[in-house]
Amino acid sequence: MDKGVYDVAIIGGGPAGMTAGIYAGRAHLKACILEGLSTGGQMFTTAVIENYPGYATIDGPGLTQAMEEQVRKWDVEILYKHITGLKRLSDSFEIQTLGGEAIHARTVILAAGSKPRKLNVPGEVEFAGRGVSYCATCDGAFFRGKNVAVIGGGDSAVEESLYLTRFVNKVTIIHRRDELRASKHLQERAFAEPKIEFVWDSVDEAIEGQQTVEQLRVKNLKTDTVTNLPVDGVFIYIGMLPNTDFVQGVVELDPWGYVVAGEDTATSEPGIFAAGDIRTKELRQIVTAVADGAVAAMAAERYLGERGL
Ligand code: NAP
């Protein structure tokens, strides 16, 4: 047996990938987790998690650290690599990395999650890191006593707005409709929070300022009126895009770019499994990601056993 070939390579070190690692390690598979930046993924940048059983509340970095310690206990390697491509060889897969190094594995679990969707308005790129942010946990404390806007009406926008009220003077949520998408429990908390105001039926058309963000140009979609909203920062939470560029043409993707896979995590390509936010699914949560990770690792073990690999 070629010792250089992993039984399973897990691409992505968020909750899905780390759980797949724990299950693969416990099954005595030779496994690695390939992670571009740091473990935890979106979980790491979440301020407060209050729907992960066992913890009434826990911060994202804390839950990430607990999971990573559990992964390392099972001798699963965590390699910091940015993955650029994937192709099938005869009995294994070759995973290409940014540095040019190739990693070989008999099965692959895609658990690379998703990244924040961009607003694509003037000023967004120019003011990135100078008032434009996609992570309240990372940047919220820079806006102590200031006024900020949050764009979006989903769970992320509302949850992170609530978090921002710890620091800021005022949060203005700008939403393109007149009702939020966020869960009722979060909505109730946001409506009761005196530091949060809402601008309904509106979109941000431009982010403006000199050195840093100073104002947003906000258009009301019902009246077409444009107003300037003075703010020191803007947090953009308008959904996510799956990290699937590196598997285009390798596995079937849905029209939005998610890997097509059911609850069994099997993709269109035998030996490649998809776990967590990267796959087509009803509910993208940490609990559903960890469930996928377990299923995918067990599916990979079965695939190897059935083929005597
Ligand atoms: P999301 O649920 O897709 O919500 C995106 C929000 O942004 C929607 O309100 C949407 O408006 C708005 N939007 C989309 N494109 C826009 C654009 N171009 N301009 C202006 N607004 C735009 O995304 P998310 O909040 O990031 O959540 C992603 C997933 O993670 C969801 O399944 C969510 O439930 C889950 N999540 C759960 C929790 C939790 O359980 N505590 C926390 C965070 C995230 P419309 O409503 O009009 O479509």
Side-chain angles (χ1 to χ4, degrees):
M1 192 174 85
D2 179 356
K3 281 284 180 196
V5 180
Y6 290 94
D7 293 320
V8 54
I10 300 157
I11 301 178
M18 288 201 280
T19 308
I22 292 164
Y23 276 74
R26 291 178 76 239
H28 299 301
L29 299 177
K30 181 176 158 64
C32 66
I33 293 175
L34 306 170
E35 169 57 54
L37 216 55
S38 64
T39 55
Q42 276 184 73
M43 173 173 72
F44 183 80
T45 61
T46 302
V48 181
I49 296 161
E50 50 186 28
N51 51 6
Y52 192 75
Y55 299 93
T57 58
I58 186 167
D59 58 290
L63 189 53
T64 299
Q65 191 186 344
M67 286 190 192
E68 187 177 321
E69 281 168 12
Q70 202 171 348
V71 169
R72 293 193 186 279
K73 188 179 140 192
W74 293 102
D75 290 332
V76 173
E77 284 180 72
I78 300 177
L79 305 171
Y80 293 95
K81 307 273 181 203
H82 183 83
I83 307 308
T84 53
L86 171 63
K87 73 172 179 195
R88 180 182 274 285
L89 305 178
S90 55
D91 266 345
S92 64
F93 296 94
E94 182 176 283
I95 300 161
Q96 290 114 25
T97 70
L98 191 59
E101 184 198 344
I103 290 160
H104 295 94
R106 296 184 179 86
T107 61
V108 176
I109 296 175
L110 304 173
S114 54
K115 57 179 173 290
R117 184 194 298 276
K118 299 281 190 289
L119 203 50
N120 291 324
V121 296
E124 185 177 18
V125 173
E126 294 84 330
F127 290 109
R130 292 189 291 133
V132 173
S133 174
Y134 305 86
C135 178
T137 319
C138 319
D139 300 328
F142 296 124
F143 295 89
R144 205 172 287 278
K146 306 256 171 98
N147 295 327
V148 299
V150 168
I151 316 284
D155 281 335
S156 298
V158 175
E159 196 163 72
E160 301 305 315
S161 295
L162 287 162
Y163 173 72
L164 284 166
T165 60
R166 295 180 188 191
F167 311 102
V168 304
N169 177 50
K170 187 170 80 174
V171 180
T172 304
I173 296 181
I174 300 169
H175 184 37
R176 63 184 179 182
R177 293 188 291 130
D178 62 0
E179 62 176 339
L180 296 172
R181 179 180 292 277
S183 62
K184 290 284 176 282
H185 150 75
L186 286 171
Q187 291 194 27
E188 281 164 15
R189 283 176 55 198
F191 292 143
E193 170 53 60
K195 282 187 176 181
I196 297 182
E197 290 181 4
F198 293 87
V199 174
W200 301 108
D201 300 311
S202 298
V203 291
D204 172 31
E205 284 197 325
I207 301 165
E208 298 171 338
Q210 297 292 321
Q211 298 305 312
T212 57
V213 171
E214 291 172 14
Q215 65 175 22
L216 305 184
R217 272 163 45 88
V218 179
K219 181 177 174 181
N220 183 301
L221 296 172
K222 287 200 168 148
T223 62
D224 272 349
T225 39
V226 177
T227 48
N228 291 334
L229 178 74
V231 287
D232 304 291
V234 53
F235 290 82
I236 299 168
Y237 284 108
I238 59 165
M240 308 298 292
L241 290 173
N243 290 316
T244 49
D245 287 354
F246 68 101
V247 285
Q248 299 254 4
V250 179
V251 292
E252 187 189 345
L253 304 179
D254 79 358
W256 296 272
Y258 290 93
V259 177
V260 175
E263 292 297 315
D264 62 0
T265 73
T267 70
S268 59
E269 184 66 24
I272 303 182
F273 306 89
D277 284 9
I278 200 168
R279 83 165 173 93
T280 48
K281 64 193 306 191
E282 280 294 315
L283 185 63
R284 295 194 170 90
Q285 297 276 299
I286 301 171
V287 283
T288 60
V290 299
D292 277 6
V295 172
M298 293 298 92
E301 186 192 25
R302 198 173 321 116
Y303 173 93
L304 293 165
E306 283 169 1
R307 286 160 181 78
L309 293 170

